[in-house]
Amino acid sequence: MRPLYPAIEPHDTGLLDVGDGQQLYWEVSGNPHGKPVVFLHGGPGGAVSPLHRRVFDPAKYRIVLFDQRGAGRSLPHASEPGYDLSVNTTWHLVADIERLRDHVGVDTWQVFGGSWGSTLALAYAQTHPDRVTELVLRGIFTLRESELDWFYEGPAGQIFPDVWEKYVAQVPGTERGGYIMAYHRLLNDPDPAVHGPAAVAWATWEASAITLLPQPATVARFADPHFALAFARIENHYFMNRGWMDDGQLITDAHLLRHIPAVIVQGRYDICTPPVTAWDLHRAWPEADFHLIPDAGHSMEEPGIRSALIEATDRFAG
Ligand code: STX
C-alpha cells in the first residue's frame, strides 16, 4: 500500500474574485516549476484540506487546491443568511476553473477529482478538453436521477438503516417520499432551529456512508454545524436542479475525452456512489484505466483507494 506524501504547506494562497460577489480561496503547494494539477473537492459544498495535497509528489507537482463557490474558505460562505445560490451552478464552477487556471498562469493541467469532484472534472474536461493533460477520477458520480434516488431517496438506507432513520426523522410524515425536495424546504427555512438540525442530519447521513468501516472522526468533521449547513444547502441545490445537465450527459459525452490519458478508481463497497456509475463510464470510455478496489468504500482515505490514486499521480508525473 502506498502511503501519503509528507504534510506540506502552500507557498502561495489567495482569494480570487470570480464575479457575482464570489471570491474563491486557492492555494499552491509543491514544486513551483512542477507539473500542474488542480484538485476538485467533493460535495458539492465540501472543502479542500491539507490531506488533499498529499496524493501528489511535491517534488514533481505544482499542486493547486481551491474551495468551490460558497464552500470551505471561499466567500461568502453558503451558511450565511441570504447566500444567493442562483449564482452557484455546475457551469459557474466550470468557468471558475478556467479563471483560476488563468490566474495561476497555467496553460494545461492534470485534473484530479473524487465523488462530486469527478462530476465536475468530467464537466470541465468535456467543456475544455484542450486544457486537460490527464484525468484522475475516484468514486464516480454523474448526478443521474438513478444515483440521486439510490442515495437520497431510500435504497441505500437498506444498508445503513440505523443512520437512515435519523435522516428520515427530519421530514414530517406527510412529506415522506421526496426527501431531496423536503430537505430543500428545511435547509432554506430562515429559522436556525429548522435549518440547523436538518443540515447536520443530511451531512451525517452522507459522512456515515462513505467509509467501509465506521470512522467517527470523519462523521464528526462533516457534522460540524457550520460545515454541514453550507455542504447540505449546496448539495441539495445542485440535486434539486439535477446539476443543470441532461440525465446521463457526462457518460454520453465521454467520447470527447478518449484522447486524454485517464485513471478511474472505484471502491466495490462504495455506498454513496455505487460502482455501476464507474462501470457505465468505463464501458463508454474503455481507454481509461479502470481500477475496481475490492475492499474499499467511497472515501479517498480508504487505504486501497488512496494507494491506487497515488500510483496514478506518480505514473502521470513522468
Ligand atoms: N456527494 C458525494 C460527494 O462528493 C454525492 C461527497 N460526499 N461526501 C463528501 O463529498 C465529503 C467528503 C466532502 C463530505
Side-chain angles (χ1 to χ4, degrees):
M1 285 286 177
R2 299 291 315 271
L4 290 170
Y5 281 101
I8 51 171
E9 290 301 315
H11 51 77
D12 206 3
T13 71
L15 284 172
L16 174 64
D17 189 335
V18 290
D20 306 317
Q22 311 287 310
Q23 292 181 291
L24 305 189
Y25 167 80
W26 60 268
E27 58 164 69
V28 185
S29 56
N31 180 347
H33 308 290
K35 181 182 175 65
V37 61
V38 64
F39 181 98
L40 305 180
H41 70 63
V48 294
S49 86
L51 181 85
H52 298 152
R53 303 172 192 139
R54 300 177 60 190
V55 288
F56 309 101
D57 182 343
K60 294 191 173 159
Y61 276 102
R62 179 179 179 193
I63 306 157
V64 182
L65 271 53
F66 76 100
D67 287 326
Q68 296 160 26
R69 290 187 179 207
R73 281 169 276 182
S74 290
L75 299 172
H77 195 247
S79 66
E80 289 174 27
Y83 179 82
D84 181 9
L85 283 164
S86 75
V87 295
N88 197 329
T89 71
T90 306
W91 307 109
H92 286 98
L93 302 189
V94 166
D96 290 348
I97 298 168
E98 276 296 273
R99 278 183 206 248
L100 180 62
R101 184 186 57 70
D102 190 54
H103 184 70
V104 297
V106 162
D107 280 333
T108 62
W109 50 7
Q110 180 179 127
V111 178
F112 181 111
S115 197
W116 159 259
S118 76
T119 322
L120 183 57
L122 290 167
Y124 173 70
Q126 290 172 7
T127 309
H128 301 286
D130 297 345
R131 297 299 182 183
V132 181
T133 54
E134 301 91 13
L135 280 157
V136 180
L137 306 171
R138 184 268 311 168
I140 307 305
F141 178 55
T142 64
L143 225 140
R144 293 178 294 187
E145 191 90 24
S146 59
E147 296 168 53
L148 298 178
D149 285 348
W150 160 264
F151 193 67
Y152 298 97
E153 300 293 359
Q158 298 199 15
I159 299 170
F160 286 95
D162 46 343
V163 196
W164 179 254
E165 196 169 81
K166 299 191 181 93
Y167 172 86
V168 167
Q170 289 292 318
V171 178
T174 50
E175 278 187 62
R176 286 189 186 183
Y179 294 110
I180 292 175
M181 197 173 291
Y183 266 94
H184 178 71
R185 183 181 63 71
L186 296 170
L187 293 167
N188 294 294
D189 191 295
D191 184 355
V194 177
H195 65 237
V200 171
W202 175 284
T204 300
W205 161 243
E206 190 146 332
S208 303
I210 61 173
T211 52
L212 186 64
L213 300 176
Q215 303 291 353
T218 301
V219 177
R221 209 158 66 237
F222 298 122
D224 166 74
H226 179 73
F227 175 88
L229 187 54
F231 176 72
R233 275 187 176 156
I234 294 173
E235 271 205 335
N236 181 272
H237 167 66
Y238 275 65
F239 301 163
M240 282 292 288
N241 290 284
R242 303 298 186 254
W244 302 270
M245 294 181 287
D246 294 334
D247 200 61
Q249 169 180 337
L250 295 175
I251 290 173
T252 306
D253 288 349
H255 65 90
L256 298 169
L257 309 175
R258 294 185 102 150
H259 62 289
I260 302 176
V263 173
I264 298 167
V265 178
Q266 174 68 43
R268 167 74 75 182
Y269 296 105
D270 182 337
I271 303 306
C272 184
T273 62
V276 62
T277 304
W279 187 257
D280 290 346
L281 183 63
H282 165 59
R283 284 299 194 203
W285 187 13
E287 295 84 358
D289 281 347
F290 180 69
H291 299 272
L292 189 54
I293 309 300
D295 55 356
H298 177 72
S299 167
M300 72 181 277
E301 293 176 54
E302 303 275 78
I305 302 269
R306 184 190 69 210
S307 194
L309 291 172
I310 294 172
E311 276 173 29
T313 61
D314 276 0
R315 179 154 69 82
F316 287 148

